[in-house]
């Protein structure tokens, strides 16, 4: 079990390391190898990584299954990749918590001045042919010997042994360093939040049955965005406002005429001037949120949490204001209550930041909750909202009319 958890956290650590020099790189797990790194512009992985965790310190064995099962896995992966046009051999990394002794080919496959492919090839062939070798790796060694000399050279040239990797209990300190989390009173809490997010991503990376849940990869940009969300919250940093608030043109307003966001305001009898004012917030909030997502200033997961917080503020107002609604109440009075719901909601959400601990322009929250009103006919009960006391009935009638 520790080995599986180690693989998951090692993928996070390696992604953080890669992010310093390549923000576009992506990671995935359990497809061609334990961990894979790929460039979104390329058709084949850049790197295949085997993760080997052993709590007990000791030497990495030339005849052991950690190495030879990795060899078998890489041979299978390269066969799959050979069918892809323009394929180049990826880097093949064996990351082990054990140490490669100096007298072994494992030591000769480490990066650095002592690396010697020729000597490693000779010694690997001797080990692979040894009839007294362990039965547990016999099939894997035989698979290696079936390769042509050229294929063996290609395979071994791509291998790098990274021995002496940190054990599970030492990963947190390494991860904090790679994420740039400096020692502070909140360092562990920040690290725990990032790891919690990552385990959720890992579950989706490993999903194979439900396409709705499946996640093909996670990029270094996504990780850095989540890191910034968490660390900035403890530091109180604000999201940048890049939109310049301005009144919309008549043409821009006309573009929203048939949208539910406008219809909802019409149902409570708002005049054109107020509709234009609210549309201004809605228009710019949409653009600002899109910019934050595009530039990895915020994650979709955090925006979903934010919408939940806005919905809570609306629901509190809606329940209070609709307590006095009676069946015999006329439409004019219902519209007046709807206007109160709208006004009170805007006051409540104005200071709700997209990222806890920060501050932002009030129109971001106001426009975002209008975005929820624009989806009231399709959203679930935890996201649907409106201003008119009977907005849900009016939404259903509107949908029926459109279908007809």
């Amino acid at each position: 079990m520790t080995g599986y958890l180690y693989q998951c956290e090692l993928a996070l650590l390696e992604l953080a390391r890669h992010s310093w020099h390549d923000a576009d790189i992506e990671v995935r797990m359990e497809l061609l190898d334990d961990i894979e790194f790929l460039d979104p512009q390329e058709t084949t992985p850049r790197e295949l990584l085997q993760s080997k965790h052993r709590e007990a310190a000791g030497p990495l064995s030339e005849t052991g299954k950690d190495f030879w099962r990795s060899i078998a896995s890489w041979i299978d992966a390269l066969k799959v990749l050979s069918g892809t046009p323009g394929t180049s051999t990826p880097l093949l990394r064996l990351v082990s918590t054990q140490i490669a002794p100096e007298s072994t080919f494992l030591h000769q496959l480490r990066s650095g001045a002592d690396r010697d492919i020729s000597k490693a090839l000779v010694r690997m062939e001797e080990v692979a042919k040894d009839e007294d070798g362990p039965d547990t790796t016999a099939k894997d060694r035989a698979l290696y010997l079936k390769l042509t000399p050229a294929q063996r050279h290609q395979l071994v040239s791509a291998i790098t042994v990274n021995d002496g990797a940190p054990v599970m209990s030492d990963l947190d300190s390494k991860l904090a360093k790679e994420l740039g989390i400096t020692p502070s009173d909140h360092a562990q809490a920040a690290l725990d939040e990032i790891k919690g997010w990552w385990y959720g991503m890992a579950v989706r990376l490993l999903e194979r049955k439900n396409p709705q849940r499946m996640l093909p990869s996670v990029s270094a940009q996504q990780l850095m965005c989540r890191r910034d969300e968490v660390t900035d919250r403890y530091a109180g940093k604000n999201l940048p406002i890049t939109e310049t608030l301005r009144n919309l043109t008549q043409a821009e307003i006309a573009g929203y005429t048939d949208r539910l966001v406008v219809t909802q305001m019409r149902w409570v009898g708002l005049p054109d001037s107020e509709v234009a004012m609210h549309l201004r917030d809605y228009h710019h909030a949409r653009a600002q949120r899109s910019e934050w997502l595009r530039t990895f200033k915020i994650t979709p997961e955090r925006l979903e949490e934010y919408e939940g917080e806005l919905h809570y503020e609306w629901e509190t107002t809606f329940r209070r204001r609709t307590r006095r609604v009676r069946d015999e109440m006329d439409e004019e009075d219902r519209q007046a209550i709807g206007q109160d719901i709208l006004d009170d909601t805007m006051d409540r959400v104005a200071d709700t930041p997209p990222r806890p601990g920060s501050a932002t322009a009030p129109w971001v929250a106001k426009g975002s909750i209008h975005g929820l009103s624009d989806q009231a006919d399709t959203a679930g009960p935890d996201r649907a909202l409106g201003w008119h006391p009977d907005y849900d009935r009016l939404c259903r009638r509107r949908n029926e009319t459109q279908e007809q």
Side-chain angles (χ1 to χ4, degrees):
M1 177 62 76
T2 304
Y4 287 120
L5 295 174
Y6 183 76
Q7 176 185 337
C8 181
E9 295 204 15
L10 181 64
L12 175 59
L13 174 62
E14 291 288 333
L15 185 61
R17 283 177 176 165
H18 280 291
S19 71
W20 288 103
H21 53 82
D22 191 352
D24 291 328
I25 200 167
E26 298 176 355
V27 67
R28 63 188 184 192
M29 293 195 292
E30 293 293 342
L31 286 177
L32 289 172
D33 213 343
D34 291 349
I35 302 167
E36 302 169 45
F37 289 96
L38 54 155
D39 189 316
Q41 283 75 45
E42 300 295 331
T43 57
T44 57
R46 181 189 303 181
E47 181 180 319
L48 302 181
L49 188 154
Q50 282 278 316
S51 164
K52 303 300 180 185
H53 183 270
R54 297 286 180 266
E55 285 285 357
L60 186 59
S61 172
E62 284 186 315
T63 60
K65 61 184 181 181
D66 279 2
F67 178 77
W68 287 105
R69 288 187 180 174
S70 297
I71 288 290
S73 175
W74 288 330
I75 291 173
D76 290 341
L78 293 179
K79 283 181 181 177
V80 173
L81 294 175
S82 65
T84 305
T87 298
S88 57
T89 304
L91 172 64
L92 308 175
R93 289 177 59 202
L94 172 61
V95 177
S96 174
T97 55
Q98 295 184 306
I99 303 296
E102 289 189 15
S103 58
T104 64
F105 66 77
L106 297 163
H107 189 83
Q108 292 162 350
L109 291 178
R110 299 168 73 211
S111 59
D114 294 335
R115 185 174 177 82
D116 193 325
I117 299 300
S118 298
K119 289 183 179 179
L121 277 165
V122 172
R123 177 58 184 157
M124 278 182 65
E125 189 164 337
E126 293 175 356
V127 174
K129 290 180 177 178
D130 186 359
E131 295 181 357
D132 295 327
D135 293 338
T136 54
T137 62
K139 290 183 179 180
D140 303 325
R141 289 183 283 118
L143 188 63
Y144 172 73
L145 291 174
K146 288 180 182 180
L147 300 177
T148 66
Q151 289 173 327
R152 292 179 201 173
H153 188 276
Q154 178 189 18
L155 173 68
V156 176
S157 296
I159 296 173
T160 295
V161 174
N162 295 140
D163 61 336
V167 295
M168 187 72 170
S169 57
D170 293 334
L171 279 185
D172 272 10
S173 60
K174 302 292 184 184
L175 182 58
K177 181 179 179 181
E178 293 297 338
L179 289 170
I181 299 177
T182 57
S184 69
D185 293 341
H186 304 297
Q188 189 59 52
L191 186 61
D192 288 344
E193 279 199 45
I194 294 170
K195 288 173 63 176
W197 167 82
W198 173 251
Y199 270 102
M201 294 294 100
V203 169
R204 297 181 61 190
L205 285 173
L206 297 171
E207 175 64 60
R208 295 294 180 269
K209 293 184 179 180
N210 184 352
Q212 302 299 320
R213 288 282 302 159
M214 189 180 297
L215 191 66
S217 62
V218 176
S219 72
Q221 284 182 316
Q222 288 174 277
L223 172 58
M224 292 303 100
C225 179
R226 190 60 174 181
R227 178 204 63 185
D228 291 345
E229 285 180 342
V230 172
T231 56
D232 287 357
R233 181 164 71 251
Y234 289 111
K237 293 182 180 179
N238 300 327
L239 286 165
I241 297 295
T242 55
E243 281 290 301
T244 301
L245 194 64
R246 59 170 179 80
N247 291 327
L248 303 186
T249 66
Q250 288 302 314
E252 288 173 321
I253 293 173
Y256 290 112
T257 300
D258 296 328
R259 296 285 290 269
L260 183 55
V261 63
V262 173
T263 304
Q264 291 251 40
M265 289 186 270
R266 296 299 187 196
W267 283 339
V268 296
L270 285 194
D272 290 347
S273 58
E274 287 195 47
V275 170
M277 176 189 71
H278 288 294
L279 278 179
R280 177 192 62 191
D281 294 345
Y282 173 60
H283 178 90
H284 290 292
R286 286 180 67 200
Q288 186 63 74
R289 286 163 52 129
S290 177
E291 173 67 10
W292 285 338
L293 286 169
R294 187 184 65 81
T295 57
F296 293 92
K297 297 295 188 299
I298 198 167
T299 58
E301 293 81 14
R302 175 53 206 159
L303 279 182
E304 187 174 350
E305 293 170 4
Y306 178 52
E307 289 179 347
E309 293 163 9
L310 297 177
H311 188 275
Y312 171 81
E313 298 297 339
W314 163 83
E315 186 174 17
T316 301
T317 299
F318 187 83
R319 300 302 175 201
R320 289 175 179 174
R321 286 291 183 178
T322 55
R323 279 200 303 255
R324 65 176 188 268
V325 174
R326 300 290 181 268
D327 291 341
E328 64 275 10
M329 186 175 288
D330 62 29
E331 181 59 20
E332 185 176 350
D333 289 339
R334 290 173 183 270
Q335 288 186 350
I337 290 175
Q339 291 181 15
D340 289 341
I341 293 170
L342 173 58
D343 293 341
D344 290 354
T345 299
M346 292 302 151
D347 290 341
R348 287 180 68 95
V349 304
D351 296 327
T352 304
R355 195 153 62 198
S358 65
T360 192
W363 53 263
V364 173
K366 294 178 180 180
S368 294
I369 203 163
H370 277 301
L372 294 178
S373 77
D374 195 42
Q375 304 165 24
D377 56 345
T378 58
D382 60 338
R383 287 294 184 272
L385 59 81
W387 318 121
H388 194 284
D390 305 318
Y391 81 92
D392 53 346
R393 176 180 58 80
L394 295 171
C395 282
R396 289 195 299 272
R397 189 171 69 185
R398 178 175 181 268
N399 286 340
E400 291 170 359
T401 301
Q402 288 178 335
E403 289 173 4
Q404 292 171 359

